[in-house]
């Protein structure tokens, strides 16, 4: 119950989707303890460290891109990398103000925690490969509540 209340508060207080300047955005996003974005970054970074990859840093622009896509998937009840408007992950990243040189996206619906979502991805070789791609330095996390549970999106990218 606490997690859902925190999630609702996060969604209501999320920054607007205004475009940023051409730079990759502000320094890594400082998040409060217990924040789903922080929990997801911690879980991903734990697996990346075990694989010898550098930690990913949360970026405001990528958080906006991932959050928008999570909300879109939950609203339309479709787990897909293509948005209802036809957008692809890199399109959404650029629209949020991030310029990716390379990028990847992992999605899942259902898990109620970041740890459970990451565990599902780590059990799937294609998703595991994206999470453990050492070239990705930045990330954004989105989570939205829907009838089928939580809809998670993580955008990973290397800046241009």
């Amino acid at each position: 119950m606490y997690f859902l209340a925190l999630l609702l508060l996060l969604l209501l207080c999320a920054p607007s989707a205004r475009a940023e300047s051409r730079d990759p955005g502000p320094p890594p996003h400082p998040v409060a303890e217990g924040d789903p974005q922080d929990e997801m970054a911690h879980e991903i970074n734990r697996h990346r460290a075990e694989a010898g990859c550098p930690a990913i840093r949360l970026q405001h622009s990528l958080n906006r891109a991932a959050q928008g896509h999570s909300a879109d998937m939950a609203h339309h009840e479709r787990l897909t990398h293509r948005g209802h408007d036809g957008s692809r992950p890199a399109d959404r990243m650029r629209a949020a103000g991030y310029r990716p040189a390379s990028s990847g996206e992992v999605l899942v619906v259902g898990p109620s925690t970041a740890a459970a979502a990451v565990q599902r991805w780590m059990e799937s070789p294609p998703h595991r490969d994206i999470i453990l791609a050492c070239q990705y330095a930045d990330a954004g996390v989105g989570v939205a509540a829907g009838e089928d549970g939580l809809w998670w999106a993580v955008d990973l990218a290397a800046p241009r």
Side-chain angles (χ1 to χ4, degrees):
M1 183 74 150
Y2 173 76
F3 180 77
L4 290 177
L6 180 62
L7 177 63
L8 181 59
L9 181 62
L10 176 68
L11 292 173
L12 293 174
C13 296
S16 68
R18 68 175 174 76
E20 290 182 330
S21 62
R22 292 186 155 251
D23 69 18
H29 174 57
V31 290
E33 188 158 306
D35 184 321
Q37 293 170 327
D38 185 45
E39 292 172 13
M40 180 63 76
H42 172 76
E43 288 297 320
I44 288 173
N45 283 334
R46 186 171 61 82
H47 288 282
R48 288 174 63 89
E50 290 171 4
C53 293
I56 48 100
R57 299 173 308 241
L58 292 175
Q59 296 290 334
H60 285 292
S61 53
L62 293 176
N63 283 339
R64 278 195 307 277
Q67 184 59 49
H69 191 55
S70 289
D72 182 65
M73 290 188 302
H75 178 76
H76 294 283
E77 297 181 341
R78 288 188 61 226
L79 186 67
T80 177
H81 293 287
R82 191 174 290 259
H84 83 280
D85 61 356
S87 64
R88 295 177 184 263
D91 299 330
R92 294 187 292 271
M93 291 176 200
R94 284 189 293 273
Y98 187 92
R99 294 180 40 155
S102 62
S103 63
E105 182 177 69
V106 290
L107 310 171
V108 68
V109 63
S112 61
T113 66
V118 172
Q119 186 59 42
R120 291 257 302 267
W121 290 323
M122 295 306 287
E123 293 168 356
S124 165
H127 294 98
R128 179 185 177 90
D129 290 349
I130 292 169
I131 289 170
L132 300 181
C134 292
Q135 78 264 24
Y136 298 141
D138 299 326
V141 177
V143 61
E147 288 186 28
D148 295 325
L150 298 180
W151 296 73
W152 296 90
V154 174
D155 289 336
L156 296 120
R160 195 172 293 255

